[in-house]
Amino acid sequence: FDRLFDKIAVRFFARNLGVDPTALKDRPWETYVQAMAEAVRNSTYVEKTCLFGVDSRVDARGRETHRDRTVCAGNSDVIEVAHRYPDQFIPFFSINPLRPDALDLIDEYVEKGCAGAKFLQNYWQVDLNDEALVPYYRKLRDLRLPLIVHIGSEFAIESKKQYEGSNMLRLPLQAGVTVIAAHMGLGQIGHWRAPWRNLSQNPVWFDRDYFHILEMLEVHENLYGDLSAMLLPLRARALKHLAGQQQVHHKLLFGTDYPVPFTIRFNTHRLEREEKKRIAGIQNPFDRYAAALLSFFPEDNPLYTNHQRILTPPHPHEQD
């Protein structure tokens, strides 16, 4: 928590995670890890969660050019935490495809139990439709590893907007990768002259990428969308509309984007006052998030079980 924004927000952040602000500020890593593991262990709804970090930005030669101190976390850290708490976490790796040894690193981290890949290409400034990435995609396809791709706005880290759009999904889908479009392409601030439209529940003012992803979910068998960070106001406004798109519910995945803070009372989902009060009173952050989504997607909705079609069993080495 060395950025000015983090120093200001740390108390709200701690309260949202249910941890002591002083401990989070003085011992951020260990306090955060323990709180996260404890929250999963005590959750009513979440039995286990996929855990991933964010690789750093590198140049064409694989030399690191930027590492965000707040957001970036190495694969070795993710794997160490997942091995320390095997009942709570499933590790995913984050390997910038510009690294010259990226394909070898995939093999290494799969051997250590990683079950999928995470891209933050808008931070890396990588065009996912670059044909040079095809060997990377084929590797993921052959290993049956799902690839989570950030689609939509990004405010927690430096981001290049041209790499945030749903068009980034074209080549990995063509290569046969099972792709997860994180955040459903929502969250852009696009109505500068009428800023209130960015929070409107009228679908006319929703992000174009959102509707493009809805169309793509019906066309591409290997594409899924996740509901992580959907309780942020720029995205929560679409929950009612998405709940009505039953033709794609078999392609949606539950996700929280923990530890990103979210609010229940001051939001755009328009839940009833008593319902908001009830959900806001839930202490466990995973359960609080799940309770909000359950207001739109009941327990029998396939989005809570669709992950079973994507996650493969751990590597044989990890089962010994």
Side-chain angles (χ1 to χ4, degrees), residues 8-20:
I8 295 173
V10 65
R11 299 195 70 84
F12 169 73
F13 191 80
R15 185 170 64 251
N16 196 271
L17 299 182
V19 300
D20 177 61

Side-chain angles (χ1 to χ4, degrees), residues 3-42:
R3 300 180 302 189
L4 178 60
F5 170 80
D6 297 323
K7 292 177 179 178
I8 295 173
V10 65
R11 299 195 70 84
F12 169 73
F13 191 80
R15 185 170 64 251
N16 196 271
L17 299 182
V19 300
D20 177 61
T22 302
L24 190 62
K25 183 178 180 181
D26 295 343
R27 302 183 307 279
W29 174 252
E30 193 57 35
T31 301
Y32 163 65
V33 168
Q34 290 180 1
M36 179 172 57
E38 193 68 16
V40 176
R41 181 184 294 113
N42 296 329

Side-chain angles (χ1 to χ4, degrees), residues 33-51:
V33 168
Q34 290 180 1
M36 179 172 57
E38 193 68 16
V40 176
R41 181 184 294 113
N42 296 329
S43 173
T44 299
Y45 299 109
V46 177
E47 294 181 11
K48 208 168 190 176
T49 185
C50 296
L51 179 68

Side-chain angles (χ1 to χ4, degrees), residues 56-60 95-99 119-130 132-133 136-137 149-150 160 162-165 167-168:
S56 57
R57 185 186 300 153
V58 302
D59 62 18
I95 302 171
N96 191 318
L98 296 186
R99 292 189 179 277
F119 272 12
L120 196 61
Q121 75 288 342
N122 45 329
Y123 165 59
W124 295 337
Q125 300 181 11
V126 172
D127 183 356
L128 299 191
N129 291 319
D130 185 341
L133 304 187
Y136 192 113
Y137 298 145
V149 179
H150 177 103
K160 203 159 188 176
Q162 72 186 83
Y163 300 129
E164 292 179 350
N167 63 308
M168 289 290 101

Side-chain angles (χ1 to χ4, degrees), residues 2 39 61 98 127 130 160 182 200 265 271 282 295 309:
D2 57 343
R61 295 185 180 182
L98 296 186
D127 183 356
D130 185 341
K160 203 159 188 176
S200 171
R265 284 197 170 98
L271 293 174
I282 298 174
S295 298
R309 299 158 55 189

Side-chain angles (χ1 to χ4, degrees), residues 48-52 78 82 85-86 88-92 113-116 311:
K48 208 168 190 176
T49 185
C50 296
L51 179 68
F52 40 77
V78 171
Y85 301 101
Q88 282 76 44
F89 302 120
I90 302 169
F92 273 44
C114 288
L311 288 174

Side-chain angles (χ1 to χ4, degrees), residues 20-220:
D20 177 61
T22 302
L24 190 62
K25 183 178 180 181
D26 295 343
R27 302 183 307 279
W29 174 252
E30 193 57 35
T31 301
Y32 163 65
V33 168
Q34 290 180 1
M36 179 172 57
E38 193 68 16
V40 176
R41 181 184 294 113
N42 296 329
S43 173
T44 299
Y45 299 109
V46 177
E47 294 181 11
K48 208 168 190 176
T49 185
C50 296
L51 179 68
F52 40 77
V54 175
D55 198 0
S56 57
R57 185 186 300 153
V58 302
D59 62 18
R61 295 185 180 182
R63 297 173 299 190
E64 185 174 298
T65 59
H66 188 267
R67 175 179 290 272
D68 188 281
R69 286 169 52 85
T70 302
V71 175
C72 290
N75 295 305
S76 58
D77 294 317
V78 171
I79 293 168
E80 187 275 326
V81 170
H83 285 187
R84 198 193 326 173
Y85 301 101
D87 294 332
Q88 282 76 44
F89 302 120
I90 302 169
F92 273 44
F93 60 73
S94 178
I95 302 171
N96 191 318
L98 296 186
R99 292 189 179 277
D101 59 346
L103 300 187
D104 292 332
L105 288 172
I106 291 175
D107 287 329
E108 176 185 338
Y109 293 130
V110 168
E111 282 287 332
K112 294 179 178 178
C114 288
K118 161 68 177 179
F119 272 12
L120 196 61
Q121 75 288 342
N122 45 329
Y123 165 59
W124 295 337
Q125 300 181 11
V126 172
D127 183 356
L128 299 191
N129 291 319
D130 185 341
E131 292 288 336
L133 304 187
V134 169
Y136 192 113
Y137 298 145
R138 288 175 177 167
K139 185 88 168 179
L140 297 181
R141 178 198 64 194
D142 293 345
L143 292 172
R144 297 173 59 201
L145 297 173
L147 169 63
I148 300 176
V149 179
H150 177 103
I151 302 296
S153 63
E154 176 58 67
F155 302 108
I157 194 171
E158 181 185 354
S159 178
K160 203 159 188 176
K161 188 172 182 177
Q162 72 186 83
Y163 300 129
E164 292 179 350
S166 56
N167 63 308
M168 289 290 101
L169 304 174
R170 178 183 60 80
L171 189 58
L173 286 172
Q174 287 181 358
V177 182
T178 296
V179 179
I180 301 167
H183 323 310
M184 294 299 297
L186 289 159
Q188 297 286 0
I189 300 178
H191 306 287
W192 295 102
R193 294 185 178 180
W196 58 88
R197 291 175 178 170
N198 295 294
L199 300 176
S200 171
Q201 282 199 340
N202 186 339
V204 171
W205 309 120
F206 290 0
D207 308 65
R208 292 181 180 178
D209 278 324
Y210 167 71
F211 292 104
H212 188 207
I213 288 175
L214 289 179
E215 294 173 0
M216 294 174 72
L217 287 171
E218 295 191 68
V219 173
H220 296 279

